[in-house]
Amino acid sequence: MEFGDLSTFENVALWVTLGTAVVGIIYGLMLRKEILAEDAGTEKMQEVAGQIQAGASAYLNRQFRTIGGLVAILFVALTATGWMGAPGELPAWQLGVGRGVAFLLGCFASGYTGFMGMNLAVRGNVRCAAAARTSKAKALAIAFRSGAVTGMFTVAMGLVGATIIFMLFKQYATEILLGFGFGGSLLALFMRVGGGIFTKAADVGADLVGKVEAGIPEDDPRNAAVIADNVGDNVGDCAGMAADIFESYEVTLVASMILALAHAESNPELARIWIIFPLIVRAIGVITSIIGTNLVVLRDENESAMKPITRGFVWSAVMSAAAFFFVAQFYAHDLKLFWATLAGLVLAVGIYKLTEYYTSTEFEPVQEIAEASQTGSATNLLAGFGVGLEGSVWALMVICACVFFSMIIFGAEGPIGILYGVSLVGLGMLTTTGVIISMDTFGPVADNAQGICEMAKVPEAMPVVEQLDSVGNTTKAATKGIAIASAVIAAIALFGSYLSKVAAAEAGAAAGESVSAAALSKYSIPLDDPNVFIGLLIGGSMPFLFSSMTIRAVGRAAFEIINEVRRQFREIPGLMEGTALPESAKVVDICTTSALKELVAPGLLAVLAPIIVGAWFGWQGLGGFLAGIIVTGQLMAVMLCDAGGAWDNAKKLIEDGAYGGKGSDSHAAAVVGDTVGDPFKDTAGPALNPLIKVMNMVALLVVPVIVGFSGGAALPIVGVILAAIVAVTLVISKRKGEKVEVQERIGDGNVA
């Protein structure tokens, strides 16, 4: 297939797409300047915010240095996988170097997006707090627009990278984009896992010692873990979510391009349209996200903050749908493309509303958990776990409905066409990424604003920031639901791309060349094959093992923090009376060290497990492995996130006065539930998104090698070596550090 003969419209569309991405970056920089010009509040507010900024920047800088070595090793490995490809018109060395450099660029784009989001969030928080003293509308605008900067960089960086790579490499672009997407996925995994461990270890320590034992309020300045908790909100939610959505944004695009290339021989014009259309869809999303973020404005001070946020999200989706129709009708001349992307928008709205139902204080599930708290922690935990289990099933059904819809409209195109339709569902779903990221970052900005007001003693702002924080809990939960669904959709689309890679490798196709859709239809992954079934079972177990690792990591880190906070209350004279300051930096350092130490084992598991399975059970076993992780990963991720979000808001519902309010037995039970839910919703659950995509990307990269070396003794030996490395790492990760003496509880368990 020759891409040199693009039509005039297509050439213009590519340059306009690139220009749109640049507009997104410029708009993000304009918002950043606008937010930084706002009032930063009192000297005390700025002092507290400064500690949060310093802690967040120090953590991310150390994290990037820590994973630098692994990135260098994987750069060499990625370059080698490209070099080993069968040479086509593009020399193998160019393919290898291009893929390796794209991997580095993907790492940089994902990491920089996360860093930029966190960098502004830790400055927007104090400005939101300052504005809350006089205006709820202004506080909302600052918090949401702080997130919009992150959103703009997420969509723009991804679009710039993908468009330039396509313009340079044409039909070989998918091979290069594999490196770009893998780089984004890997960094997202590390930022999600590391940030999640940091934030929840601090949160658990702060809550259990401060609220339950010492009987002091949340965000009390006497609690040494409070600063670390606020730092964690940013490195976990802001940086982690931005990187997470960035990778989904890229992976769905890569999948659609690979699937489109299956028509390169039989219908090159169709293949070209199917590649250009997703790029145009992405450009539309940048523009509608800009408009959507500007629609988030309170109509009056009494309006709920949730309403303008929902308006911005929904109107952005509606405008995107209208634009999709015109492009599908007048460029592609095929409304199937419109219906598929529309289904993605509907899926995003559906997941958003479904997650809101299961995690908002306004609906029955959270109210049921709050009511159950009257009889103790056990009934609180049972109710919350039940909510999470139920929510995961309905989220899966919504995803199945969208995939089934794709089957209906693309059924005549065969399996490849159906899976291409699924990739368009993912593209449509993430069209409003700019608004989605804004909604997510809004949560930690509002949460930090509440903490700053509490620590700096700004009571006049508390009613506003408390309202914003409550809404932020719901938006964070909703966007986590969207992120999970996007990961599953991306993985399903990549599943078809995986078979395309297998078929090309079996046929000995040159790197960058594809096999026909007819040839591809001969390949399948039969469940009655023992290798496939073993792979399916192993893949299904991965989310359980991964979640166990991350939750236990939080527990280990929280153990140290709890003892450190107890020590400070006992040993620092005047701390409990408020005449002395806690040693907050020490808790930040414990969180940082623990989080970075715990990154190694999950990272190696994510990268090496697919290679081990492929080496032992062949490409079909690896295909079963991918199917297993998609199913159980989605169910577990939604269950963890919904249960955690519901427990959190049940606690807030009681704190607002229900069932005895603060200080009651119901509140004590709800605090326990929230503490259990913290690592569920902010560590283990969200980290499963990048895990699913990293494992799929690794499979795509290594399957040509697995096919090429199948039948020999080399692959099983490599599998044994890699399995030994993973096993040793898992054993080491479970070792406890230096024994810490358990300090005596400091209070009687009454909660303020």
Side-chain angles (χ1 to χ4, degrees), residues 74 81 160 175 186 200 209 217 254 298 345 355 362 371 375 382 388 453-454 472 537 563 586 590 604 693 727 744:
L74 289 174
T81 62
V160 166
E175 298 294 321
L186 188 72
K200 291 305 110 180
V209 181
V254 172
L298 279 177
L345 290 170
T355 309
E362 297 180 5
E371 183 179 4
T375 49
L382 289 170
C453 290
E454 182 81 41
L537 294 176
N563 279 283
K586 189 163 185 178
I590 292 173
L604 284 178
K693 288 172 284 187
E744 184 182 348

Side-chain angles (χ1 to χ4, degrees), residues 430-623:
L430 292 176
T431 298
T432 58
T433 289
V435 179
I436 292 169
I437 295 292
S438 302
M439 291 161 56
D440 183 78
T441 305
F442 166 81
V445 170
D447 192 354
N448 273 197
Q450 181 181 8
I452 290 169
C453 290
E454 182 81 41
M455 287 182 277
K457 301 192 184 307
V458 189
E460 65 272 22
M462 288 302 293
V464 169
V465 292
E466 285 176 349
Q467 290 180 48
L468 296 183
D469 181 36
S470 179
V471 170
N473 278 333
T474 301
T475 60
K476 282 193 298 182
T479 52
K480 284 185 178 75
I482 292 173
I484 294 165
S486 72
V488 174
I489 292 294
I492 294 171
L494 283 175
F495 200 71
S497 305
Y498 174 80
L499 290 177
S500 177
K501 287 291 178 185
V502 170
E506 290 271 6
E513 294 182 1
S514 60
V515 297
S516 66
L520 184 55
S521 65
K522 300 176 183 178
Y523 290 86
S524 62
I525 301 175
L527 281 176
D528 59 355
D529 184 327
N531 288 326
V532 174
F533 205 76
I534 291 172
L536 183 72
L537 294 176
I538 296 174
S541 72
M542 287 296 103
F544 291 86
L545 177 59
F546 191 81
S547 297
S548 168
M549 294 167 70
T550 52
I551 290 173
R552 293 167 81 175
V554 171
R556 286 191 290 269
F559 180 84
E560 295 184 53
I561 292 162
I562 288 170
N563 279 283
E564 173 59 25
V565 176
R566 286 173 176 170
R567 182 197 67 78
Q568 291 192 27
F569 273 121
R570 294 188 181 280
E571 296 181 8
I572 298 178
L575 179 57
M576 197 64 182
E577 292 74 22
T579 58
L581 294 175
E583 297 172 359
S584 300
K586 189 163 185 178
V587 179
V588 171
D589 186 64
I590 292 173
C591 289
T592 300
T593 304
S594 299
L596 296 179
K597 180 178 67 176
E598 300 286 359
L599 276 177
V600 177
L604 284 178
L605 178 70
V607 173
L608 297 184
I611 303 175
I612 295 168
V613 172
W616 285 350
F617 304 107
W619 68 264
Q620 288 185 317
L622 180 54

Side-chain angles (χ1 to χ4, degrees), residues 32-171:
R32 184 176 188 276
K33 182 178 179 181
E34 175 187 317
I35 291 165
L36 293 180
E38 296 289 348
D39 176 27
T42 66
E43 184 177 342
K44 181 61 177 176
M45 294 170 72
Q46 294 180 47
E47 177 188 331
V48 173
Q51 293 180 60
I52 297 171
Q53 293 168 27
S57 297
Y59 171 75
L60 275 193
N61 289 334
R62 284 179 61 178
Q63 184 183 53
F64 290 147
R65 289 198 301 270
T66 300
I67 64 179
L70 179 60
V71 169
I73 293 171
L74 289 174
F75 164 73
V76 175
L78 264 289
T79 302
T81 62
W83 214 302
M84 292 167 64
E89 294 180 14
L90 185 69
W93 72 268
Q94 288 187 22
L95 181 65
V97 172
R99 181 180 286 177
V101 171
F103 166 72
L104 294 180
L105 290 175
C107 289
F108 170 78
S110 183
Y112 184 71
T113 297
F115 183 84
M116 279 295 293
M118 181 218 72
N119 189 265
L120 187 62
V122 295
R123 286 163 173 77
N125 54 13
V126 68
R127 289 162 173 81
C128 172
R133 295 175 298 178
T134 57
S135 171
K136 176 181 171 182
K138 190 171 184 180
L140 169 65
I142 291 173
F144 195 83
R145 291 188 169 208
S146 296
V149 175
T150 314
M152 286 300 107
F153 272 87
T154 300
V155 296
M157 294 289 286
L159 194 55
V160 166
T163 305
I164 291 177
I165 288 172
F166 176 73
M167 293 171 77
L168 290 176
F169 291 95
K170 299 297 192 302
Q171 67 263 42

Side-chain angles (χ1 to χ4, degrees), residues 369-431:
I369 298 170
E371 183 179 4
S373 302
Q374 297 177 96
T375 49
S377 302
T379 46
N380 170 280
L381 294 173
L382 289 170
F385 197 68
V387 165
L389 291 171
E390 180 182 305
S392 66
V393 174
W394 291 114
L396 182 68
M397 292 302 172
V398 172
I399 293 172
C400 288
C402 287
V403 174
F404 183 69
F405 182 73
S406 176
M407 291 172 59
I408 294 174
I409 60 176
F410 278 90
E413 302 290 345
I416 294 303
I418 291 171
L419 288 171
Y420 178 77
V422 172
S423 73
L424 289 186
V425 171
L427 288 162
M429 182 178 190
L430 292 176
T431 298

Side-chain angles (χ1 to χ4, degrees), residues 552 556 559-560 597-598 731-740:
R552 293 167 81 175
R556 286 191 290 269
F559 180 84
E560 295 184 53
K597 180 178 67 176
E598 300 286 359
V731 171
I732 293 174
S733 73
K734 291 196 288 186
R735 285 184 182 175
K736 295 181 180 179
E738 183 180 347
K739 187 174 181 181
V740 180

